[in-house]
């Protein structure tokens, strides 16, 4: 059974940065495609970033606010951990951030739909104050 535990959230001021971590157990992270999602109060869970099993492909939310590269997903196979570096944070980034994982035979595919991921962490709260 794959277990995911997020950490690194917290309260940060407008323009600040956070590095979110997702520790994976029960499977080596190199065998999984990974993703980060977020959910603000009263809103649906939305895709933020994804990385393929081999790390050869990454994908980010298709929105103008992400074009500037404020968010970066990466993985450290030696630590069995996936990261989300979030820079230049804005109040509208306030949400619970979730890590997700799925088995895949593809080294290149990334996944951005909630239903494509069977494994989820409990989430970590990110609050950006103005």
């Amino acid at each position: 059974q794959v277990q995911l535990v997020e950490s690194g959230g917290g309260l940060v001021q407008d323009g600040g940065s956070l590095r979110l971590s997702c520790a994976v157990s029960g499977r080596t992270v190199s065998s999984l495609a990974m993703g980060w999602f977020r959910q603000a109060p009263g809103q649906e869970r939305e895709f933020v970033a994804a990385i393929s099993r081999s790390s050869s492909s990454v994908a980010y939310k298709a929105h103008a606010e992400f074009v500037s590269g404020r968010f970066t997903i990466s993985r450290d196979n030696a630590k069995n951990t996936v990261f989300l570096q979030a820079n230049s944070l804005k109040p509208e980034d306030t949400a619970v951030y979730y890590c997700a994982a799925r088995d895949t035979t593809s080294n290149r595919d990334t996944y951005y739909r909630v239903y494509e991921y069977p494994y989820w962490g409990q989430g970590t709260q990110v609050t950006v104050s103005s």
Side-chain angles (χ1 to χ4, degrees):
Q1 182 72 11
V2 176
Q3 293 187 327
L4 309 175
V5 178
E6 302 96 333
S7 61
L11 175 64
V12 64
Q13 291 188 333
D14 190 351
S17 298
L18 285 173
R19 189 191 196 199
L20 307 183
S21 299
C22 174
V24 180
S25 61
R27 197 78 57 83
T28 56
V29 71
S30 59
S31 68
L32 301 167
M34 305 293 296
W36 283 96
F37 291 74
R38 68 184 185 183
Q39 188 167 19
Q43 298 187 18
E44 293 186 352
R45 193 167 297 189
E46 66 173 1
F47 170 73
V48 176
I51 188 167
S52 65
R53 190 177 76 172
S54 69
S55 301
S56 60
S57 301
V58 294
Y60 296 97
K61 175 180 167 65
H63 190 279
E65 69 182 86
F66 283 80
V67 174
S68 63
R70 297 192 301 119
F71 291 76
T72 304
I73 187 171
S74 62
R75 69 167 77 213
D76 185 333
N77 290 342
K79 296 181 178 179
N80 228 37
T81 300
V82 175
F83 303 98
L84 183 70
Q85 178 68 42
N87 299 327
S88 301
L89 284 163
K90 306 174 183 180
E92 50 264 42
D93 293 318
T94 294
V96 177
Y97 283 70
Y98 295 92
C99 176
R102 63 164 287 156
D103 295 295
T104 179
T105 58
S106 170
N107 282 326
R108 297 183 304 171
D109 288 348
T110 55
Y111 306 87
Y112 60 92
R113 298 181 180 90
V114 171
Y115 68 80
E116 293 180 304
Y117 290 91
Y119 307 116
W120 291 84
Q122 82 290 346
T124 185
Q125 177 70 48
V126 171
T127 302
V128 185
S129 63
S130 57

